[in-house]
């Protein structure tokens, strides 16, 4: 697994910007369809047709309709891992991981209505929930790889997964509490509270 050392600052070309725009359109169309006709009523062909492309074109951008809905969060694990690598060496693993998770916090705060929709669809649709959890496992892999490098361990050292798994579990709890209270603006505080609970449990 390779992690970029920093985000690219090179401006995207017209072709790449066009691809990003189509991906965003397909993602928005998938969310609308899930909301309007439900999971079983949503087809890849219908999503594609609503933005004027073919089903075959859809699969150039996403592997499934679930991935289209989860598009807004697909790169957050990678971006958090990059930020983790940049954290000061004096920070403990937990401090560094919490700071790295600000990538996800910032993404939520940037578009609260979008995250509210994603989480509601996530709760209501078991298939989407399973894909979301698979994504979270990918986040753990990416963060564990970065944490291992940060601590001078081999990239696949299994001990690096435990703290990352705990932090991601706290993140999931924070999101669910925000969804229940319709208060995603407080996601940072919810994450800190969940991590505090986890630390308290581990001290028992």
């Amino acid at each position: 697994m390779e992690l970029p050392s920093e985000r690219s600052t090179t401006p995207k070309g017209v072709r790449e910007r066009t691809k990003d725009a189509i991906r965003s359109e397909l993602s928005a169309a998938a969310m609308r369809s899930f909301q309007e006709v439900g999971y079983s009523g949503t087809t890849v062909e219908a999503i594609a047709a609503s933005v004027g492309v073919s089903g075959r074109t859809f699969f150039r951008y996403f592997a499934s309709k679930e991935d289209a809905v989860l598009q807004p969060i697909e790169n957050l694990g990678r971006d958090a891992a990059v930020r983790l690598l940049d954290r000061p060496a004096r920070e403990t693993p937990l401090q560094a991981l919490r700071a790295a998770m600000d990538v996800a916090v910032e993404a939520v705060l940037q578009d609260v209505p979008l995250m509210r929709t994603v989480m509601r669809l996530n709760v209501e649709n078991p298939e989407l929930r399973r894909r979301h959890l698979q994504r979270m496992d990918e986040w753990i892999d990416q963060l564990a790889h970065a944490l291992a490098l940060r601590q001078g361990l081999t990239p696949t050292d299994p001990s690096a997964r435990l703290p990352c798994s705990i932090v991601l579990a706290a993140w999931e709890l924070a999101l669910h509490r925000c969804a229940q209270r319709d208060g995603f603006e407080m996601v940072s505080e919810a994450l800190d509270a969940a991590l505090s609970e986890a630390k308290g449990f581990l001290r028992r």
Side-chain angles (χ1 to χ4, degrees):
M1 180 188 302
E2 294 184 4
L3 294 173
S5 58
E6 58 183 354
R7 296 185 187 182
S8 172
T9 57
T10 304
K12 292 182 177 180
V14 173
R15 186 173 182 179
E16 192 172 357
R17 293 201 302 271
T18 299
K19 289 176 65 177
D20 287 348
I22 293 173
R23 282 175 59 83
S24 294
E25 286 185 41
L26 287 169
S27 178
M31 286 190 189
R32 285 195 302 272
S33 184
F34 269 49
Q35 291 178 283
E36 293 170 2
V37 300
Y39 175 85
S40 60
T42 297
T43 65
V44 165
E45 290 73 19
I47 295 169
S50 70
V51 298
V53 301
S54 67
R56 179 176 295 182
T57 298
F58 175 94
F59 287 112
R60 294 177 187 168
Y61 295 92
F62 298 107
S64 67
K65 59 186 180 183
E66 293 86 6
D67 283 340
V69 172
L70 296 174
Q71 183 264 345
I73 65 171
E74 67 181 351
N75 292 324
L76 293 183
R78 179 202 64 191
D79 294 344
V82 170
R83 188 170 294 192
L84 177 58
L85 287 172
D86 289 337
R87 297 304 304 170
R90 66 177 180 276
E91 291 182 341
T92 67
L94 180 57
Q95 289 172 333
L97 281 165
R98 172 60 187 89
M101 286 302 295
D102 275 338
V103 166
V105 169
E106 291 157 10
V108 171
L109 296 179
Q110 186 175 358
D111 196 336
V112 168
L114 176 64
M115 181 54 65
R116 184 182 294 119
T117 299
V118 170
M119 283 302 298
R120 184 173 62 77
L121 292 173
N122 195 321
V123 170
E124 294 174 353
N125 298 276
E127 293 85 356
L128 182 61
R129 176 66 179 162
R130 280 194 289 271
R131 182 61 183 123
H132 172 76
L133 292 175
Q134 289 174 343
R135 277 283 170 82
M136 291 299 98
D137 200 52
E138 293 167 10
W139 284 30
I140 292 171
D141 285 340
Q142 292 164 329
L143 287 169
H145 181 87
L147 185 63
L149 292 177
R150 188 176 183 275
Q151 295 184 284
L153 305 172
T154 59
T156 57
D157 193 310
S159 65
R161 279 187 63 88
L162 179 58
C164 299
S165 298
I166 292 171
V167 170
L168 263 294
W171 174 247
E172 278 290 289
L173 177 58
L175 287 180
H176 277 282
R177 286 177 173 170
C178 288
Q180 290 172 346
R181 301 165 184 169
D182 195 20
F184 283 99
E185 294 83 359
M186 302 296 290
V187 66
S188 181
E189 293 83 353
L191 175 57
D192 289 334
L195 285 172
S196 180
E197 289 178 38
K199 288 190 288 185
F201 175 78
L202 292 173
R203 284 196 295 267
R204 292 179 184 175

